[in-house]
Amino acid sequence: MKLSKFGQQVSGRSGIKQLMDDLGEALAGNTDMLMLGGGNPALIPEINQRFREIMLDMLHTPKDMDHTLGIYAEPQGNRHFIQALAELLREEFHWPVRPENIALTNGSQAAFFMLFNMFAGAFDDGSHRKILLPLTPEYIGYADVGLEDDFFCTHKPRIEFLEEHLFKYHIDFDNLNIGNDVGAICVSRPTNPTGNVLADDEIDKLKSLAQQHQIPLIIDNAYGTPFPNIIFTDAKPTWDDNTILCMSLSKFGLPAIRTGIVIAPEQVIAAIAEMNAVLNLAPGSVGSALALPLIRSREIITLSKEVIRPYYQKKNAQARQYLQQELQGLDYYIHNPEGAIFLWLWFRNLPITAQQLYERLKQKGVLVIPGHYFFPGLQENWKHADECIRITYAQDDNVVRAGIKIIANEARKVYE
Ligand code: PLP
């Protein structure tokens, strides 16, 4: 079969597909595989219990159940959910958000596909624009969503060394040149894969740069506040009429139901609704129906603050302790974990590539993600990208501990 350019592009081997395949394969075949690779959030008993209760309520209210399953939502997404969320955001953050500023998508991954291709690619005047990722490493899921080549640009970060084998990336504003070829700026905050949380002044600078260049600033808030609130610093959330904030119900505990949320100027929301209609007719309704009572009661905020954040904060501290015990004597650094569900490990001067380390670890029964996937748009070869791996600590503690032990043993062998 002869495939179009688009067909070839989407059937090429993407990092995100390898990640999802590894997850599925390992789960189907080898149940002993220690899954420190994928980005699946943890199954948190209190959250699961709450969703079971809400589902039971729905089952006992046939009209709710029948409407949720049997009627298409509007292309913009379930109207009641959107209204309730706009109210919550106005109340919580005093943002002037109206229902016209919110659209739902089938997962926020789909929203990035739509948004990035809206703001980058070919333009009427013959120009070509890119998405600027001002900090790299960035989320692996962005890397392959562009429908055209040469889709991203980025800059190497500044590295700050902290105490106890910790380090932190900062945006290198001195070298951040925003030319006419940039169509939008995007950052994940907290960042996947590093757990970095851009400081308020970094976000303010990005906001004013975006204003100055009349391009939007897209903030990926998949782990941020007000839900799921997997953020361990007190970074201030932000939204205005030049900011597009993307959120998700996935890390709150509903990854399988695929509900993404875009909060943006009306013109952008109208375009998302159009694309939803073309691609899906309408976004799915089950996620918004399950979360609606939690939004209305504001429980989504208390559960995030009192259950989800402490749950991950504890696991984070535990995983860091395992790493510090096991990696003693090696030339390693951990990115300061300020949020999200990952630890980003840097093995300085690693004698093999992170891809080779990944393959050796897979043989030994532990899955991680090699670092080089997380540098979309970086043109130059940077050895650092081949010295890092991402691990998740969302799994059971015994899995995390056993996985870390194997990673440490293998890294030690490699250095020796
Ligand atoms: N953005 C970031 C930073 C993520 O880590 C993820 C998922 O892992 C997504 C977006 C996409 O999430 P979803 O499509 O499940 O909403």
Side-chain angles (χ1 to χ4, degrees), residues 16 19 38-41 105-112 138-142 187-193 220-223 246-251 254-256 258-261 340-342 390:
I16 198 77
L19 172 63
N40 212 88
T105 56
N106 288 332
S108 64
Q109 183 68 25
F112 291 106
E138 247 309 351
Y139 172 46
I140 190 173
Y142 301 153
V187 289
S188 60
R189 186 191 196 225
T191 309
N192 174 358
D220 180 350
N221 196 33
Y223 301 89
C246 295
M247 300 191 58
S248 171
L249 293 182
S250 294
K251 315 300 171 180
L254 295 179
R258 317 300 305 124
T259 310
I261 301 163
I341 59 176
F342 309 104
R390 189 196 78 178

Side-chain angles (χ1 to χ4, degrees), residues 140-412:
I140 190 173
Y142 301 153
D144 297 289
V145 302
L147 287 175
E148 295 200 9
D149 297 334
D150 197 16
F151 202 75
F152 294 100
C153 50
T154 191
H155 291 272
K156 276 175 18 184
R158 276 197 306 107
I159 292 181
E160 180 192 7
F161 288 92
L162 306 167
E163 77 289 1
E164 290 181 7
H165 288 271
L166 291 178
F167 77 108
K168 181 171 164 68
Y169 296 121
H170 294 277
I171 297 178
D172 183 1
F173 280 101
D174 293 341
N175 289 307
L176 193 71
N177 303 314
I178 303 185
N180 291 335
D181 62 341
V182 172
I185 304 175
C186 177
V187 289
S188 60
R189 186 191 196 225
T191 309
N192 174 358
T194 54
N196 202 350
V197 174
L198 289 181
D200 293 342
D201 68 320
E202 287 179 298
I203 288 288
D204 288 344
K205 274 192 205 161
L206 289 178
K207 274 170 74 170
S208 63
L209 282 171
Q211 286 280 7
Q212 227 172 295
H213 291 84
Q214 298 182 340
I215 53 176
L217 171 63
I218 303 172
I219 301 179
D220 180 350
N221 196 33
Y223 301 89
T225 182
F227 55 87
N229 213 347
I230 311 172
I231 179 162
F232 317 134
T233 66
D234 20 80
K236 196 170 80 224
T238 183
W239 182 77
D240 61 23
D241 60 4
N242 196 46
T243 303
I244 300 175
L245 189 68
C246 295
M247 300 191 58
S248 171
L249 293 182
S250 294
K251 315 300 171 180
F252 187 81
L254 295 179
I257 289 183
R258 317 300 305 124
T259 310
I261 301 163
V262 182
I263 302 158
E266 273 179 46
Q267 181 200 2
V268 174
I269 294 304
I272 299 269
E274 289 285 337
M275 277 186 278
N276 268 341
V278 172
L279 291 170
N280 307 300
L281 300 183
S285 299
V286 178
S288 44
L290 285 175
L292 180 59
L294 302 179
I295 298 261
R296 282 192 172 141
S297 65
R298 307 293 185 256
E299 234 183 306
I300 198 152
I301 296 180
T302 46
L303 284 172
S304 297
K305 274 192 190 149
E306 290 165 18
V307 177
I308 295 184
R309 181 174 53 192
Y311 179 91
Y312 284 108
Q313 202 158 11
K314 189 163 160 232
K315 288 186 82 66
N316 178 306
Q318 185 65 264
R320 268 178 57 193
Q321 199 193 339
Y322 296 150
L323 280 169
Q324 277 157 354
Q325 276 164 12
E326 298 293 341
L327 294 174
Q328 262 180 40
L330 297 184
D331 194 6
Y332 78 95
Y333 290 88
I334 304 170
H335 192 282
N336 197 22
E338 299 168 318
I341 59 176
F342 309 104
L343 288 172
W344 177 252
L345 300 184
W346 172 21
F347 292 110
R348 198 158 59 164
N349 299 320
L350 189 72
I352 59 172
T353 64
Q355 176 69 26
Q356 289 165 328
L357 180 61
Y358 155 81
E359 277 153 19
R360 285 172 65 151
L361 290 171
K362 197 168 165 184
Q363 292 294 322
K364 294 267 157 46
V366 51
L367 278 183
V368 301
I369 312 282
H372 64 277
Y373 284 120
F374 296 90
F375 294 81
L378 188 67
Q379 299 299 337
E380 60 192 292
N381 261 335
W382 190 24
K383 189 169 178 303
H384 179 80
D386 278 321
E387 296 178 345
C388 297
I389 59 170
R390 189 196 78 178
I391 63 170
T392 172
Y393 56 81
Q395 299 286 330
D396 286 347
D397 276 353
N398 52 351
V399 170
V400 175
R401 180 170 214 163
I404 285 175
K405 214 175 179 60
I406 295 173
I407 294 169
N409 283 344
E410 208 54 31
R412 206 171 289 282

